[in-house]
Amino acid sequence: MCAQAASLDTSRYPHRHLLGISGLTAEEITFLLDISDSYVDINRRDRKKLDLLEGRTVINLFFESSTRTRTSFELAAKRLGADVINMSVSTSSIKKGETLIDTAMTLNAMHPDVLVVRHSDSGAVSLLSEKVNCAVINGGDGSHEHPTQALLDALTIRRRLGKIAGLTVAICGDILHSRVARSNIHLLTALGARVRLIAPPTLMPGKIERLGVEAFTDMREGLKGVDIVMMLRLQTERMQGSYVPSIREYFRFFGLDREKMSVANPDALVMHPGPMNRGVEIDSELADDISRSLIRDQVEMGVAVRMACLDLLTRSLRGAFEAEGADAGGEVGG
Ligand code: ASP
């Protein structure tokens, strides 16, 4: 077993699942980031495979399409030695609630250790977690939360700038429909960053200041002196009706380009969770500028963060089963 195995104190993350960042303490978030950090180095080695999850089964259950998140979880689980099944479930012909619970019960009967779930409805992953015996990781639920995205964003920032506390981070674009924004607001404020949200009034949620952020409807105002600019995709799949006059207008006022970046801190860095719409929310050349853009680092950090989450949650499961077995004075499950 590797050195990490001996040193992980699972009592520092006393949760069975990872459903969101909201509700986690700064210490729990930092613990997850510290474990993730050690996986970055492992992923840069020639031989990346570990046996920590040997004999474990991870199911990626995606009710909504995904390329990077699903691939990232799959790679993370395989690098830890788990058996991985990918399931893409269409919700078109059956009532969504029924599909979700039925599928959860069916999969539960096959004894997976971890379910990674993405669903278009906010709250669906949490509901599912109540019906199964395994650990559940939220791979994105509607416009609610995408916890591993916020963790990978934080790891990317922390590795580049050495800290999160005291930084000013602007999150820009379609805040209203973005689970990435919500998870990042919770995480960044918990770790002591100042968060600004910048969006057209139609894409800014009401009373958002309650989450401890500042809201702006003008990019040049909101970007003044920021250290990090996180751009968001226009989530057209969640829009009913028209929220922006035209793509051209949107890019003119809310698309990130060098001219708008000029009011930010001179060393300010650019992030984007992907998939990116070049020329809609971000200028293509800026997105590819490796001196300003952290977008590739974010993808790399994603695998490390997901390895850390899978590692930690399966250890916690083992701990719980061992305790159950010990209490019963009999066999140990798991
Ligand atoms: N990939 C992110 C998500 O699943 C961001 C996006 O889709 O725009 O929420």
Side-chain angles (χ1 to χ4, degrees):
M1 211 167 263
C2 74
Q4 281 172 303
S7 59
L8 257 190
D9 174 6
T10 55
S11 68
R12 293 177 62 193
Y13 184 86
H15 309 280
R16 188 183 185 93
H17 309 296
L18 175 63
L19 300 175
I21 299 294
S22 170
L24 297 186
T25 64
E27 290 71 30
E28 288 162 3
I29 294 168
T30 303
F31 181 49
L32 283 167
L33 293 178
D34 291 344
I35 307 169
S36 306
D37 224 345
S38 61
Y39 277 115
V40 177
D41 299 329
I42 292 173
N43 283 330
R44 288 179 181 172
R45 298 194 311 215
D46 286 343
R47 296 177 73 86
K48 303 164 177 64
K49 193 135 175 160
L50 302 175
D51 61 3
L52 285 170
L53 264 70
E54 203 176 73
R56 300 279 185 169
T57 307
V58 175
I59 302 183
N60 283 325
L61 176 58
F62 279 62
F63 292 89
E64 217 185 33
S65 66
S66 163
T67 309
R68 94 184 48 215
T69 305
R70 194 195 50 69
T71 311
S72 183
F73 269 111
E74 182 177 354
L75 206 52
K78 285 184 171 163
R79 284 191 181 162
L80 292 172
D83 294 317
V84 189
I85 308 288
N86 293 311
M87 286 188 64
S88 298
V89 187
S90 159
T91 51
S92 55
S93 54
I94 318 170
K95 270 169 67 189
K96 282 183 187 169
E98 282 174 13
T99 313
L100 177 70
I101 304 306
D102 288 351
T103 311
M105 299 313 287
T106 305
L107 294 177
N108 192 45
M110 298 180 195
H111 301 292
D113 298 283
V114 184
L115 276 178
V116 179
V117 188
R118 168 169 287 193
H119 199 282
S120 55
D121 291 345
S122 301
V125 181
S126 167
L127 178 70
L128 183 144
S129 73
E130 291 165 14
K131 311 283 175 195
V132 296
N133 306 112
C134 61
V136 175
I137 300 178
N138 183 357
D141 64 323
S143 53
H144 178 227
E145 282 239 31
H146 191 352
T148 56
Q149 177 71 47
L151 288 165
L152 75 88
D153 289 340
L155 185 64
T156 305
I157 299 172
R158 204 177 77 162
R159 284 181 69 97
R160 180 62 78 100
L161 298 178
K163 61 174 184 179
I164 304 272
L167 296 176
T168 303
V169 181
I171 308 177
C172 316
D174 185 0
I175 311 280
L176 186 65
H177 301 103
S178 177
R179 52 197 176 207
V180 174
R182 264 166 207 76
S183 289
N184 264 305
I185 292 169
H186 293 306
L187 188 149
L188 292 167
T189 53
L191 293 196
R194 282 183 293 273
V195 177
R196 296 186 192 165
L197 305 181
I198 313 174
T202 47
L203 294 174
M204 184 73 85
K207 305 200 176 110
I208 193 78
E209 289 88 351
R210 280 191 302 203
L211 296 181
V213 299
E214 280 181 280
F216 295 82
T217 52
D218 183 291
M219 284 286 267
R220 285 168 193 83
E221 279 297 308
L223 289 179
K224 263 184 210 154
V226 303
D227 302 297
I228 301 280
V229 187
M230 280 186 185
M231 297 308 297
L232 301 172
R233 183 176 64 90
L234 273 181
Q235 317 254 300
T236 46
E237 72 277 22
R238 296 192 216 296
M239 294 182 188
Q240 277 148 8
S242 166
Y243 286 80
V244 294
S246 72
I247 295 301
R248 233 174 103 206
E249 282 286 280
Y250 184 77
F251 183 71
R252 187 163 151 235
F253 290 103
F254 292 95
L256 189 68
D257 55 16
R258 289 198 188 276
E259 195 268 311
K260 295 189 192 84
M261 271 298 273
S262 66
V263 299
N265 176 334
D267 303 321
L269 298 163
V270 179
M271 302 176 78
H272 193 302
M276 231 182 334
N277 290 314
R278 294 168 182 267
V280 178
E281 68 263 359
I282 190 163
D283 172 65
S284 197
E285 191 246 327
L286 183 58
D288 294 334
D289 177 353
I290 51 165
S291 67
R292 304 305 292 264
S293 168
L294 293 175
I295 296 170
R296 279 187 221 161
D297 302 43
Q298 290 174 270
V299 178
E300 183 188 357
M301 295 309 129
V303 181
V305 158
R306 286 160 184 138
M307 287 171 87
C309 295
L310 289 168
D311 179 6
L312 182 61
L313 291 181
T314 49
R315 283 177 206 232
S316 302
L317 272 182
R318 189 166 39 212
F321 282 133
E322 277 162 10
E324 274 169 29
D327 286 350
E331 286 174 14
V332 175

